[in-house]
Amino acid sequence: LVMVFYGSNSKSNPVSMENKVEHQAKNQITYDIHLPSDLGMLYKVRLGLQGLENGISQLSLRHFKMQNTSTLDTFSLTINKTLPLSLNGDRWIEFPVEWPLKEALSVVTYHLTVFSRNILSERNLLRMAACIYGTHGDTGDRSLLWSLQNVQQGEDNESFLVTVDAVELGELDKVVLLISSKTDCKVDIKKLHLKEAVKEHPIYVFEVNEAFSVNANKPEIEREIPVSFIMREDKQKNDIDNNLHKEGSQTRNLTEYTIKVYTGDQRGAGTDANVHIILFGNEDKSEVFQLSQSLEHQDPFERGKVDTFKIKTKKLGSLHSIEIGHDGKGFASGWFLEKVEITDTSRNSVYCFNCNR
């Protein structure tokens, strides 16, 4: 078992768990790991198996818990995934690390379409992997030939789709290809298209246009491909929008939400701490909003009271969840939140999120 830890400043080298077992009980192993102090705030963990010579074919991961032994900050996550550890399978999973009052990234499914000439006929002898890089780190090396979808095969061209699950990478900037083979062969790759599975655009295009001569007795070929261009939704529409982009034009794309926060009616329910909220929709998520200017009360979040706030943010689509919390400031900062009601004024939709805790 190997883990890679990503921090705000850098990422760790792959950390092997082989000699780090501190405690072992039934179905549970505790590891003691010393990470470099210059990683910064941890935001992502990638884990998987390296070296399958011992014949293990699957690893079922149920739960992951991590504690900083100096600050006692704890992060835990239910995984319930089995790594598809076939020899060509993707052997890695990754997830965001969520700390109190820190906005966590999401897990995203990426669609990588490979346009090539003769990979499919050689795929059983080839090993092809890609590492995708963006502003939020990288995916590590992911196998490309283990689960192909949307296979198109013509006389002189072919294409296939590979899915990669990863913590969101932000703006994509390059792909590193790794190619090796059990026999001498030639692999002709024309280009790669990369996008988020749930979005039609943007599509990141990586022009390769290279025939790789793969030699079975030589080290694997490594090629770094920078992004060539990005296909946006409607170039003409974007150009018009850019030309019309005057002061105040941004507000056209903003949606107003009315947020009603119900504090419970029980002893000690109110709080003087600073409360924040993040809205998550099926199209996007909002930035972090501090709920400080209640329309009803100068002192918000008091016992049995309802406070209304208005915010404007980009279009989020249908809301499916929220994150709400506080910074623990002030005397007796504990807060009993009954529920949150959010009205999307543009859609005239009301969403209710019950909390009762």
Side-chain angles (χ1 to χ4, degrees), residues 10-25:
S10 63
K11 70 173 183 177
S12 74
N13 292 323
V15 182
S16 169
M17 302 295 114
E18 194 172 1
N19 300 313
K20 296 182 171 56
V21 176
E22 187 185 68
H23 176 69
Q24 187 161 352

Side-chain angles (χ1 to χ4, degrees), residues 67-345:
Q67 184 175 56
N68 181 325
T69 54
S70 57
T71 64
L72 299 185
D73 282 341
T74 303
F75 163 76
S76 64
L77 176 76
T78 299
I79 298 177
N80 284 337
K81 281 188 179 176
T82 299
L83 286 177
L85 298 177
S86 64
L87 283 174
N88 291 322
D90 191 351
R91 298 178 293 175
W92 296 94
I93 61 169
E94 55 181 54
F95 46 84
V97 179
E98 201 168 346
W99 302 113
L101 290 183
K102 286 285 180 184
E103 190 178 350
L105 300 171
S106 320
V107 174
V108 170
T109 298
Y110 289 97
H111 276 177
L112 174 61
T113 304
V114 180
F115 296 86
S116 55
R117 257 191 70 191
N118 46 3
I119 288 178
L120 294 173
S121 58
E122 304 279 357
R123 62 175 289 199
N124 292 329
L125 299 169
L126 273 176
R127 178 189 176 269
M128 266 187 71
C131 181
I132 307 164
Y133 289 81
T135 50
H136 297 156
D138 62 78
T139 61
D141 300 342
R142 303 297 189 91
S143 173
L144 296 186
L145 298 177
W146 65 283
S147 177
L148 308 186
Q149 302 167 38
N150 293 11
V151 176
Q152 310 282 329
Q153 203 159 9
E155 199 171 312
D156 202 36
N157 54 58
E158 63 192 21
S159 65
F160 55 89
L161 172 70
V162 185
T163 60
V164 177
D165 288 334
V167 172
E168 60 184 291
L169 294 165
E171 288 284 321
L172 307 181
D173 51 37
K174 68 178 179 181
V175 171
V176 173
L177 284 176
L178 300 163
I179 308 168
S180 60
S181 174
K182 294 175 184 174
T183 181
D184 295 354
C185 64
K186 199 164 235 169
V187 176
D188 195 341
I189 302 177
K190 296 177 177 178
K191 61 181 176 177
L192 311 172
H193 281 189
L194 193 52
K195 72 178 189 71
E196 291 186 29
V198 295
K199 296 179 182 175
E200 287 301 313
H201 295 88
I203 299 172
Y204 293 82
V205 180
F206 300 83
E207 298 279 5
V208 184
N209 293 321
E210 188 173 346
F212 299 91
S213 293
V214 189
N215 189 313
N217 300 317
K218 288 189 178 173
E220 68 181 357
I221 295 170
E222 181 175 323
R223 189 72 83 249
E224 183 176 305
I225 319 290
V227 64
S228 304
F229 59 92
I230 303 169
M231 289 196 280
R232 306 281 181 189
E233 192 161 1
D234 185 337
K235 189 174 186 310
Q236 188 178 3
K237 176 178 176 294
N238 284 351
D239 289 344
I240 293 169
D241 283 351
N242 290 336
N243 292 335
L244 292 172
H245 190 73
K246 302 266 190 280
E247 189 179 345
S249 68
Q250 285 177 321
T251 57
R252 290 200 308 265
N253 296 321
L254 296 181
T255 299
E256 184 176 82
Y257 293 90
T258 302
I259 301 174
K260 284 186 177 294
V261 180
Y262 293 74
T263 299
D265 188 9
Q266 54 180 268
R267 190 177 172 201
T271 187
D272 292 324
N274 300 305
V275 173
H276 74 275
I277 193 168
I278 306 169
L279 279 53
F280 296 85
N282 63 351
E283 293 176 18
D284 212 336
K285 68 179 179 184
S286 76
E287 56 270 53
V288 181
F289 285 97
Q290 300 297 329
L291 299 180
S292 53
Q293 303 291 320
S294 168
L295 298 183
E296 289 92 352
H297 309 108
Q298 195 168 355
D299 192 6
F301 314 119
E302 292 300 300
R303 173 179 174 175
K305 295 286 195 288
V306 180
D307 292 284
T308 306
F309 305 84
K310 286 189 183 295
I311 63 169
K312 284 186 178 177
T313 186
K314 56 201 166 186
K315 289 178 178 158
L316 306 175
S318 298
L319 299 186
H320 57 73
S321 56
I322 61 172
E323 176 191 302
I324 188 163
H326 64 75
D327 60 0
K329 296 268 174 72
F331 176 70
S333 61
W335 177 40
F336 189 94
L337 173 62
E338 186 178 312
K339 64 179 178 178
V340 179
E341 280 180 2
I342 301 178
T343 303
D344 179 343
T345 52

